[in-house]
Each structure stands twice: as structure tokens, then as C-alpha cells.
Amino acid sequence: MKIGILISGSGSNMIKLIESCQNSKNAFIEIVISNNPDAKGIEYAKLKNIKTKVIDHKEFSEREDFDNKVHEVLLENNVDFLCNAGFMRIHGEKFVEKWFNKHLNIHPSLLPSFKGLNTHERAIKSGVKFAGCTVHLVRSGVDEGPIIGQAITSIDINDDKISLAKKVLKLEHKLYPKCLKLFTDKLVKVKNNKITFSDKAIEVLNDFKV
Ligand code: GRF
């Protein structure tokens, strides 16, 4: 399976996906695309000899034109499956349709709670006792879509948004590669919005030594 990764920033989740695919016989990271020319993740991908491409969204007056360029580059590189990893642009409906059920995103909250930005600050302010991250299939609604996996941590009395972000990011780095593996190793079946997890898939997801 040829994988494309979309980033906008440091790409710490991208790094974990790259590392997890290095020894996989079913998955190959084909290209990393960033909408941000200054994304640090681009440098890392280059160091790992992975093809990179900057498609600066500021150069496109219409969202759909940007989406079409991204889609064109993905097709040119024979990408089969897409992972958003710290990608901060919203995809248009047509793009989502083209990658329907072949497109994952990771979000730093226990969806459906705390969609959108500043999730850790909002979670602390709301008084909830747990936080975490979610990997889901991408749909046109922001941070919506069938959930593949989640990881959870407590919000401790002395946690602030920085300390909580650190804890959750560590979980993201463990969760995302597992969720991708479910697709590259064909351990889940997806039909429309219904996901069927094989026994092996449950084993992979539960093998969660944080
Ligand atoms: C992560 O919390 C991710 O969930 C969110 O952006 C943050 C940075 O991601 N989308 P990365 O380090 O760029 O992978």
C-alpha cells in the first residue's frame, strides 16, 4: 500500500508513521505533502529520502483548486492511502469523496468531544477528568468520521495545556501507527460508515503498552 502523508508543521506524527512503515512489507510511505513551506516535517522526510512536495495553500484563491492540486500530486505518485498528520487545512467535500474510506486523521481529543482547536485548554477548563486522542476516517465534517482507535490519559490536578499536550502527543505517536497498520495489513473492513474489526485488529489496538 502506497501511503501519502499530509502535514503542516513539526510532523511528529509523520515521523512515527514513517518509522512504523520502515519494516512493513505491506506499507510504503510514497510522499509527504505540506501546505506550509516552512514545515519542519519536510526536512525530516528529506533526511529519510522520502519524496516531499510543498503545495502552498496561499497560492490558491479557491480551496477546491488547492484540493485538486493535492489530489493530482497524490495520483501522480500512485498513492493508495492518505494520512493527515498535523495537517491544518480543511478538505472540500469533493476531495473527501475521492479519498472516502482511504483517509485517516488524528485529532488530540476523545472525539466527539472537543472537535476543533485548543482541545487541551478546553478540556481542562471544562473540568473533564480524562483526555486523549482519536484516529478516525476523514469525512467532510471537521474532526468527524468513523473512529478507528482512541487512547486516553487522566487530566491531573496540576496539568496545564502544555503538560497535557505532551502526554497526549505521546499517546498519538503510539496510536496512529497501530491504526494505519489495521488498513495496510487489511485487519479491518469498512463499508460506508461501518467498520468491522477483525480479532487481530482488536489485538493490535489493545496491545497498548503506553
Ligand atoms: C498533534 O496534536 C495533532 O493531533 C494535531 O497537531 C498536533 C501536532 O501534530 N493535529 P504533529 O506533531 O505535526 O504531527
Coordinates of all heavy atoms in Angstrom, one line a residue, residues 72-132:
E72 N -4.0 15.7 -7.4 CA -3.2 15.5 -8.7 C -1.8 14.9 -8.3 O -1.4 13.9 -8.8 CB -3.1 16.8 -9.4 CG -2.3 16.8 -10.7 CD -2.0 18.2 -11.2 OE1 -3.0 19.0 -11.2 OE2 -0.8 18.5 -11.4
V73 N -1.2 15.5 -7.3 CA 0.2 15.1 -6.9 C 0.1 13.7 -6.3 O 0.9 12.8 -6.5 CB 0.8 16.1 -5.9 CG1 2.1 15.5 -5.3 CG2 1.1 17.4 -6.7
L74 N -0.9 13.4 -5.5 CA -1.1 12.1 -4.9 C -1.3 11.0 -6.0 O -0.7 10.0 -6.0 CB -2.3 12.1 -4.0 CG -2.2 12.9 -2.7 CD1 -3.5 13.1 -2.0 CD2 -1.1 12.3 -1.7
L75 N -2.1 11.3 -7.0 CA -2.3 10.4 -8.1 C -1.0 10.2 -8.9 O -0.7 9.0 -9.2 CB -3.5 10.8 -9.0 CG -4.9 10.9 -8.4 CD1 -5.9 11.1 -9.5 CD2 -5.2 9.6 -7.7
E76 N -0.3 11.3 -9.2 CA 0.9 11.2 -9.9 C 1.9 10.2 -9.2 O 2.7 9.6 -9.9 CB 1.6 12.6 -10.0 CG 1.1 13.5 -11.1 CD 1.6 14.9 -10.9 OE1 2.4 15.1 -10.0 OE2 1.0 15.8 -11.5
N77 N 1.8 10.2 -7.9 CA 2.7 9.3 -7.1 C 2.1 8.0 -6.7 O 2.6 7.3 -5.8 CB 3.2 10.1 -5.9 CG 4.2 11.2 -6.3 OD1 5.4 10.9 -6.5 ND2 3.7 12.4 -6.5
N78 N 1.0 7.7 -7.4 CA 0.3 6.3 -7.2 C -0.1 6.1 -5.7 O 0.1 4.9 -5.3 CB 1.2 5.2 -7.7 CG 1.6 5.4 -9.1 OD1 0.7 5.7 -10.0 ND2 2.9 5.5 -9.4
V79 N -0.4 7.1 -5.0 CA -0.8 6.9 -3.6 C -2.1 6.2 -3.5 O -3.1 6.5 -4.2 CB -0.8 8.3 -2.8 CG1 -1.5 8.2 -1.5 CG2 0.6 8.9 -2.7
D80 N -2.2 5.2 -2.6 CA -3.4 4.4 -2.4 C -4.2 4.9 -1.1 O -5.4 4.7 -1.0 CB -3.1 3.0 -2.1 CG -2.2 2.3 -3.1 OD1 -2.6 2.4 -4.3 OD2 -1.1 1.8 -2.8
F81 N -3.4 5.5 -0.1 CA -4.0 5.7 1.2 C -3.4 7.0 1.8 O -2.2 7.2 1.5 CB -3.7 4.5 2.1 CG -4.6 4.4 3.3 CD1 -5.8 3.8 3.3 CD2 -4.3 5.1 4.5 CE1 -6.7 3.7 4.4 CE2 -5.1 5.0 5.6 CZ -6.3 4.3 5.6
L82 N -4.2 7.7 2.5 CA -3.8 9.1 2.9 C -3.8 9.2 4.4 O -4.8 8.8 5.0 CB -4.7 10.1 2.2 CG -4.4 11.5 2.1 CD1 -3.0 11.7 1.6 CD2 -5.4 12.2 1.1
C83 N -2.8 9.8 5.0 CA -2.8 10.1 6.4 C -2.6 11.6 6.7 O -1.5 12.1 6.3 CB -1.7 9.3 7.1 SG -2.0 7.5 7.2
N84 N -3.5 12.2 7.3 CA -3.3 13.6 7.8 C -2.5 13.5 9.1 O -3.0 12.8 10.0 CB -4.6 14.3 8.0 CG -5.3 14.7 6.7 OD1 -4.9 14.2 5.6 ND2 -6.3 15.6 6.7
A85 N -1.4 14.2 9.2 CA -0.6 14.2 10.4 C -0.3 15.6 10.8 O 0.7 16.2 10.4 CB 0.6 13.3 10.2
G86 N -1.1 16.2 11.6 CA -0.9 17.6 11.9 C -1.2 18.5 10.8 O -0.6 19.6 10.6
F87 N -2.1 18.1 9.9 CA -2.4 18.9 8.7 C -3.6 19.8 9.1 O -4.6 19.4 9.6 CB -2.9 17.9 7.6 CG -3.1 18.6 6.3 CD1 -2.1 19.2 5.6 CD2 -4.4 18.7 5.7 CE1 -2.3 19.8 4.3 CE2 -4.7 19.3 4.5 CZ -3.6 19.9 3.8
M88 N -3.3 21.1 8.9 CA -4.3 22.1 9.4 C -5.2 22.7 8.4 O -5.7 23.8 8.6 CB -3.5 23.2 10.2 CG -2.6 22.6 11.3 SD -3.4 21.5 12.4 CE -4.1 22.6 13.5
R89 N -5.4 22.1 7.3 CA -6.3 22.6 6.3 C -7.6 21.8 6.2 O -7.5 20.6 6.5 CB -5.7 22.7 4.9 CG -4.4 23.5 4.7 CD -4.6 24.9 5.0 NE -5.5 25.6 4.1 CZ -6.1 26.8 4.3 NH1 -5.8 27.4 5.4 NH2 -6.9 27.3 3.4
I90 N -8.7 22.4 6.0 CA -10.0 21.7 5.9 C -10.2 21.2 4.4 O -10.0 22.1 3.5 CB -11.2 22.6 6.3 CG1 -11.0 22.9 7.8 CG2 -12.5 21.9 6.0 CD1 -12.0 23.9 8.3
H91 N -10.5 20.0 4.2 CA -10.6 19.5 2.8 C -12.1 19.8 2.3 O -13.0 19.7 3.1 CB -10.4 18.0 2.8 CG -9.1 17.5 3.2 ND1 -7.9 17.7 2.5 CD2 -8.7 16.8 4.3 CE1 -6.9 17.2 3.1 NE2 -7.3 16.7 4.3
G92 N -12.2 20.1 1.1 CA -13.5 20.3 0.5 C -14.2 18.9 0.3 O -13.6 17.8 0.3
E93 N -15.5 18.9 0.1 CA -16.3 17.7 0.0 C -15.8 16.8 -1.1 O -15.8 15.6 -0.9 CB -17.8 18.0 -0.1 CG -18.4 18.4 1.2 CD -20.0 18.4 1.1 OE1 -20.6 17.8 0.2 OE2 -20.5 19.1 2.0
K94 N -15.5 17.4 -2.3 CA -15.1 16.6 -3.4 C -13.8 15.8 -3.1 O -13.7 14.6 -3.5 CB -14.9 17.5 -4.7 CG -16.3 18.0 -5.2 CD -16.1 18.7 -6.5 CE -17.4 19.3 -7.0 NZ -17.2 20.6 -7.7
F95 N -12.9 16.5 -2.4 CA -11.6 15.8 -2.1 C -11.9 14.6 -1.1 O -11.4 13.5 -1.3 CB -10.7 16.8 -1.4 CG -9.3 16.2 -1.1 CD1 -8.3 16.3 -2.1 CD2 -9.0 15.6 0.1 CE1 -7.0 15.8 -1.8 CE2 -7.8 15.0 0.3 CZ -6.8 15.1 -0.6
V96 N -12.8 14.9 -0.2 CA -13.1 13.8 0.8 C -13.7 12.6 0.1 O -13.4 11.5 0.4 CB -14.1 14.4 1.9 CG1 -14.6 13.3 2.8 CG2 -13.3 15.5 2.7
E97 N -14.6 12.9 -0.8 CA -15.3 11.8 -1.6 C -14.2 11.0 -2.4 O -14.3 9.8 -2.4 CB -16.2 12.5 -2.6 CG -17.6 12.8 -2.0 CD -18.2 11.6 -1.3 OE1 -18.3 10.5 -1.9 OE2 -18.5 11.8 -0.1
K98 N -13.2 11.7 -2.9 CA -12.2 11.0 -3.7 C -11.4 10.0 -2.9 O -10.8 9.0 -3.3 CB -11.3 12.0 -4.4 CG -12.0 12.7 -5.6 CD -11.1 13.8 -6.1 CE -11.8 14.7 -7.1 NZ -11.0 15.9 -7.4
W99 N -11.2 10.3 -1.6 CA -10.4 9.5 -0.7 C -11.3 8.8 0.4 O -10.8 8.5 1.4 CB -9.3 10.4 -0.1 CG -8.3 10.8 -1.1 CD1 -8.4 12.0 -1.8 CD2 -7.2 10.1 -1.6 NE1 -7.4 12.0 -2.8 CE2 -6.6 10.8 -2.6 CE3 -6.7 8.8 -1.2 CZ2 -5.5 10.4 -3.3 CZ3 -5.5 8.4 -1.9 CH2 -5.0 9.2 -2.9
F100 N -12.5 8.7 0.1 CA -13.5 8.1 1.0 C -13.1 6.7 1.5 O -12.8 5.8 0.7 CB -14.9 8.0 0.4 CG -16.0 7.8 1.3 CD1 -16.5 8.9 2.1 CD2 -16.6 6.6 1.5 CE1 -17.6 8.7 3.0 CE2 -17.6 6.4 2.4 CZ -18.1 7.5 3.1
N101 N -12.9 6.6 2.8 CA -12.5 5.4 3.5 C -11.1 4.9 3.1 O -10.7 3.8 3.4 CB -13.5 4.2 3.2 CG -14.8 4.4 4.0 OD1 -14.8 5.3 4.9 ND2 -15.8 3.7 3.6
K102 N -10.3 5.9 2.6 CA -8.9 5.6 2.4 C -8.1 6.8 3.0 O -7.0 7.2 2.5 CB -8.6 5.6 0.8 CG -9.4 4.5 0.1 CD -8.9 4.4 -1.3 CE -9.5 5.6 -2.1 NZ -9.1 5.5 -3.6
H103 N -8.6 7.4 4.0 CA -8.0 8.7 4.5 C -8.2 8.8 6.0 O -9.4 8.8 6.5 CB -8.8 9.8 3.8 CG -8.2 11.2 4.0 ND1 -8.8 12.3 3.4 CD2 -7.2 11.6 4.7 CE1 -8.1 13.3 3.7 NE2 -7.1 13.0 4.5
L104 N -7.1 8.8 6.7 CA -7.2 8.9 8.2 C -6.7 10.3 8.7 O -5.9 11.0 8.0 CB -6.3 7.9 8.8 CG -6.7 6.4 8.7 CD1 -5.6 5.5 9.3 CD2 -8.0 6.1 9.3
N105 N -7.2 10.6 9.9 CA -6.7 11.9 10.6 C -6.6 11.5 12.0 O -7.3 10.6 12.6 CB -7.8 13.0 10.4 CG -7.3 14.3 11.1 OD1 -6.1 14.7 11.0 ND2 -8.1 14.8 12.0
I106 N -5.7 12.2 12.7 CA -5.5 12.1 14.1 C -5.9 13.5 14.8 O -5.5 14.5 14.3 CB -4.1 11.6 14.6 CG1 -4.1 11.3 16.1 CG2 -3.0 12.7 14.2 CD1 -3.0 10.4 16.5
H107 N -6.7 13.4 15.8 CA -7.1 14.6 16.5 C -6.8 14.5 18.0 O -7.1 13.4 18.6 CB -8.6 14.8 16.3 CG -9.2 16.0 16.9 ND1 -9.0 17.2 16.4 CD2 -10.0 16.1 18.0 CE1 -9.6 18.1 17.2 NE2 -10.2 17.5 18.2
P108 N -6.3 15.5 18.6 CA -5.9 15.5 20.0 C -7.0 15.7 21.0 O -7.0 16.5 21.9 CB -4.8 16.6 20.1 CG -5.3 17.6 19.1 CD -5.9 16.8 18.0
S109 N -8.1 14.9 20.9 CA -9.1 14.8 21.9 C -9.9 13.5 21.7 O -9.7 12.8 20.8 CB -10.2 16.0 21.7 OG -11.1 15.6 20.7
L110 N -10.7 13.2 22.7 CA -11.5 12.0 22.7 C -12.8 12.4 21.9 O -13.8 12.7 22.5 CB -11.8 11.5 24.1 CG -10.6 11.0 24.9 CD1 -11.0 10.7 26.3 CD2 -10.0 9.8 24.2
L111 N -12.8 12.3 20.6 CA -14.0 12.7 19.8 C -15.1 11.7 20.2 O -14.9 10.6 20.6 CB -13.6 12.5 18.3 CG -12.6 13.5 17.7 CD1 -12.2 13.2 16.3 CD2 -13.2 14.9 17.8
P112 N -16.3 12.2 20.1 CA -16.7 13.5 19.5 C -16.6 14.8 20.4 O -17.0 15.9 20.0 CB -18.2 13.3 19.2 CG -18.7 12.3 20.2 CD -17.5 11.4 20.5
S113 N -16.0 14.6 21.6 CA -15.8 15.7 22.4 C -14.6 16.6 21.9 O -13.6 16.0 21.4 CB -15.4 15.3 23.9 OG -16.5 14.6 24.4
F114 N -14.7 17.9 22.1 CA -13.7 18.8 21.7 C -13.1 18.8 20.3 O -12.0 18.6 20.0 CB -12.5 18.7 22.8 CG -13.0 18.8 24.2 CD1 -12.9 17.8 25.0 CD2 -13.5 20.0 24.6 CE1 -13.4 17.9 26.3 CE2 -14.0 20.2 25.9 CZ -13.9 19.1 26.8
K115 N -14.1 18.8 19.4 CA -13.6 19.0 18.0 C -13.0 20.4 17.8 O -13.2 21.2 18.7 CB -14.9 18.9 17.0 CG -15.5 17.6 17.0 CD -16.8 17.6 16.2 CE -17.5 16.3 16.2 NZ -18.9 16.4 15.6
G116 N -12.2 20.6 16.8 CA -11.6 21.9 16.6 C -10.3 22.1 17.3 O -9.6 21.1 17.6
L117 N -10.0 23.3 17.6 CA -8.6 23.7 18.1 C -8.6 23.8 19.6 O -9.6 23.8 20.2 CB -8.2 25.0 17.4 CG -8.2 25.0 15.9 CD1 -8.0 26.4 15.3 CD2 -7.1 24.1 15.4
N118 N -7.4 24.0 20.1 CA -7.2 24.3 21.6 C -7.9 23.2 22.4 O -8.5 23.6 23.4 CB -7.7 25.7 21.9 CG -7.0 26.7 21.1 OD1 -5.8 26.7 20.8 ND2 -7.9 27.6 20.5
T119 N -7.8 22.0 22.0 CA -8.5 20.9 22.7 C -8.1 20.7 24.1 O -9.0 20.5 25.0 CB -8.3 19.6 22.0 OG1 -6.9 19.3 22.0 CG2 -8.8 19.6 20.5
H120 N -6.8 20.8 24.4 CA -6.4 20.6 25.8 C -6.8 21.7 26.8 O -7.3 21.4 27.9 CB -4.8 20.4 25.8 CG -4.3 19.4 24.9 ND1 -4.8 18.1 24.8 CD2 -3.4 19.5 23.9 CE1 -4.3 17.4 23.8 NE2 -3.4 18.2 23.2
E121 N -6.7 22.9 26.3 CA -7.1 24.0 27.2 C -8.6 23.9 27.4 O -9.1 24.1 28.6 CB -6.8 25.3 26.4 CG -7.1 26.6 27.2 CD -6.6 27.8 26.4 OE1 -6.2 27.7 25.2 OE2 -6.7 28.9 26.9
R122 N -9.4 23.5 26.4 CA -10.9 23.4 26.6 C -11.2 22.3 27.5 O -12.1 22.4 28.3 CB -11.5 23.3 25.2 CG -11.4 24.6 24.4 CD -11.6 24.3 22.9 NE -12.8 23.6 22.6 CZ -13.0 22.8 21.5 NH1 -11.9 22.7 20.6 NH2 -14.1 22.3 21.2
A123 N -10.5 21.2 27.4 CA -10.8 20.0 28.2 C -10.5 20.4 29.7 O -11.4 20.1 30.5 CB -9.9 18.8 27.8
I124 N -9.4 21.0 29.9 CA -9.1 21.4 31.3 C -10.2 22.3 31.9 O -10.7 22.1 32.9 CB -7.7 22.0 31.4 CG1 -6.6 20.9 31.1 CG2 -7.4 22.6 32.8 CD1 -5.2 21.5 30.9
K125 N -10.5 23.3 31.1 CA -11.5 24.3 31.5 C -12.8 23.7 31.8 O -13.6 24.1 32.6 CB -11.6 25.4 30.4 CG -10.6 26.5 30.5 CD -11.0 27.8 29.8 CE -9.9 28.8 30.0 NZ -9.5 29.5 28.6
S126 N -13.1 22.6 31.0 CA -14.5 22.0 31.2 C -14.6 21.1 32.4 O -15.7 20.7 32.8 CB -14.8 21.1 29.9 OG -14.0 20.0 30.1
G127 N -13.4 20.8 33.0 CA -13.4 20.0 34.2 C -13.5 18.5 34.0 O -13.6 17.7 34.9
V128 N -13.4 18.1 32.7 CA -13.4 16.6 32.5 C -12.1 16.0 33.1 O -11.1 16.7 33.2 CB -13.5 16.3 31.0 CG1 -14.8 16.7 30.4 CG2 -12.3 16.9 30.2
K129 N -12.2 14.7 33.4 CA -11.1 14.1 34.2 C -10.2 13.3 33.2 O -9.1 12.8 33.7 CB -11.6 13.2 35.3 CG -12.5 13.9 36.3 CD -11.8 15.1 36.9 CE -12.7 15.9 37.8 NZ -12.1 17.2 38.1
F130 N -10.6 13.1 32.0 CA -9.8 12.3 31.0 C -9.6 13.1 29.7 O -10.6 13.9 29.4 CB -10.4 11.0 30.8 CG -10.4 10.1 32.0 CD1 -11.5 10.0 32.9 CD2 -9.2 9.3 32.4 CE1 -11.5 9.3 34.0 CE2 -9.2 8.6 33.5 CZ -10.3 8.5 34.4
A131 N -8.6 12.9 29.1 CA -8.3 13.4 27.7 C -7.7 12.3 26.9 O -7.5 11.2 27.3 CB -7.4 14.6 27.8
G132 N -7.4 12.7 25.6 CA -6.8 11.7 24.8 C -6.7 12.0 23.4 O -6.8 13.2 23.0

